[in-house]
């Protein structure tokens, strides 16, 4: 049986107008990788079909890179998934006005399930929910607070019709220590919605392992630090995603 393609979503995290990567979500532990528009154009030229774009300043409530995000999205002719600081009707409409194809709800989805159910009903496929996890406990507010049981939340979101989940083991993010495959399997068992893996991807073998799980419900993988640090290239990632 031929496995489905694994979508590769190279990540661009924006802070203070620059493309950065954090270590386990800590603002004090960042690495700088230049101008987001140039990074996005490089990803597009390499053949990416998606970019995972994060406004870290908005996510941490310390600012906004809205105009720059508009510029990044308009500079490429590929799909963009946007995350960071989307917590109410106004910020959601503002995010969708950038021209992104999908938004990723984080803290708000966990803390305000009624609102989340409403916007899932309103916008459908344009809404994904990010499930950031330590063990089986959700992490919110930039991973600084606990948000309840992972599987109880999936059950609620499934009932609301959530179109897909982005699952991050926060202890893995930015560490290049490999994805939490067992956690991802558990999530795939718990929901029929597609799952995008995030956090810890460090080697091409990680992507090969995730591709082997596409028949379980893994749809894609967000790749950040591994590409920026030179562990492998985006071109190599895209190649193993279809082999």
């Amino acid at each position: 049986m031929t496995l489905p393609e694994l979508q590769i979503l190279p990540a661009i995290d924006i802070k203070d107008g620059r493309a950065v990567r954090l270590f386990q979500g800590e603002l004090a532990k960042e690495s700088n990788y230049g101008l987001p528009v140039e990074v996005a154009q490089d990803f597009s030229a390499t053949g990416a079909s998606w970019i995972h774009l994060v406004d870290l300043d908005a996510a941490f409530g310390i600012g906004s890179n809205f105009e720059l995000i508009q510029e990044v999205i308009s500079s490429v002719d590929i799909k963009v998934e946007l995350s960071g600081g989307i917590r109410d009707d106004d910020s959601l409409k503002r995010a969708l006005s950038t021209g992104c194809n999908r938004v990723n709800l984080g803290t708000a989805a966990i803390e305000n399930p009624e609102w989340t159910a409403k916007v899932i009903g309103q916008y459908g496929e344009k809404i994904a929910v990010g499930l950031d996890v330590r063990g089986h406990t959700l992490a919110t507010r930039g991973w600084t607070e606990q948000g309840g049981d992972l599987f109880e939340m999936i059950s609620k979101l499934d009932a609301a019709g959530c179109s897909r989940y982005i699952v991050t083991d926060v202890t893995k993010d930015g560490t290049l220590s490999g994805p939490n495959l067992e956690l991802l399997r558990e999530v795939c068992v718990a929901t029929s919605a597609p799952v995008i893996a995030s956090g810890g991807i460090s080697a091409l073998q990680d992507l090969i392992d995730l591709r082997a799980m596409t028949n379980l419900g893994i749809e894609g993988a967000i790749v950040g630090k591994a590409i920026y640090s030179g562990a492998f290239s985006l071109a190599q990632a895209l190649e193993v995603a279809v082999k």
Side-chain angles (χ1 to χ4, degrees):
M1 183 184 73
T2 304
L3 289 168
E5 177 181 347
L6 179 73
Q7 287 180 3
I8 303 295
L9 297 87
I12 304 174
D13 292 1
I14 301 178
K15 179 175 177 285
D16 296 330
R18 310 288 289 182
V20 304
R21 297 303 297 169
L22 305 184
F23 180 85
Q24 293 186 345
E26 294 187 35
L27 284 175
K29 299 178 180 178
E30 69 173 70
S31 303
N32 192 321
Y33 294 102
L35 298 175
V37 168
E38 293 179 0
V39 176
Q41 289 173 341
D42 284 347
F43 287 163
S44 178
T46 303
S49 57
W50 278 93
I51 289 172
H52 179 75
L53 188 60
V54 183
D55 186 340
L56 285 174
D57 292 317
F60 283 92
I62 56 175
S64 171
N65 294 280
F66 179 74
E67 290 78 13
L68 177 55
I69 281 167
Q70 286 181 304
E71 186 182 349
V72 171
I73 292 173
S74 64
S75 75
V76 293
D77 190 24
I78 59 177
K79 296 174 182 176
V80 175
E81 175 179 85
L82 180 59
S83 184
I86 304 165
R87 297 192 174 101
D88 53 28
D89 286 334
D90 288 344
S91 54
L92 174 58
K93 287 174 184 173
R94 188 168 158 87
L96 290 170
S97 77
T98 62
C100 67
N101 299 83
R102 184 164 73 216
V103 299
N104 178 33
L105 303 181
T107 295
I110 309 308
E111 295 185 349
N112 195 346
E114 293 81 10
W115 175 75
T116 304
K118 182 193 82 169
V119 298
I120 287 171
Q122 192 171 355
Y123 294 104
E125 288 276 334
K126 285 186 174 289
I127 305 290
V129 172
L131 300 171
D132 300 337
V133 191
R134 283 190 184 90
H136 289 159
T137 302
L138 292 160
T140 61
R141 298 280 166 186
W143 303 346
T144 61
E145 297 183 15
Q146 293 187 356
D149 180 75
L150 168 66
F151 299 107
E152 288 178 12
M153 184 56 61
I154 288 174
S155 179
K156 289 178 185 175
L157 290 164
D158 274 358
C162 185
S163 67
R164 62 182 34 75
Y165 299 106
I166 298 167
V167 178
T168 305
D169 180 339
V170 301
T171 66
K172 297 278 191 177
D173 190 67
T175 65
L176 297 178
S177 59
N180 187 335
L181 298 177
E182 184 55 38
L183 171 67
L184 292 165
R185 281 192 196 93
E186 291 175 328
V187 173
C188 287
V189 168
T191 181
S192 59
V195 174
I196 296 174
S198 172
I201 293 168
S202 60
L204 290 174
Q205 185 60 48
D206 295 333
L207 297 177
I208 293 167
D209 292 343
L210 290 169
R211 173 94 195 283
M213 295 170 64
T214 51
N215 59 347
L216 303 179
I218 296 294
E219 178 182 68
I222 295 170
V223 186
K225 194 164 187 179
I227 291 173
Y228 290 102
S229 67
F232 54 80
S233 68
L234 175 58
Q236 289 174 309
L238 293 169
E239 185 178 356
V240 300
V242 297
K243 270 189 174 179

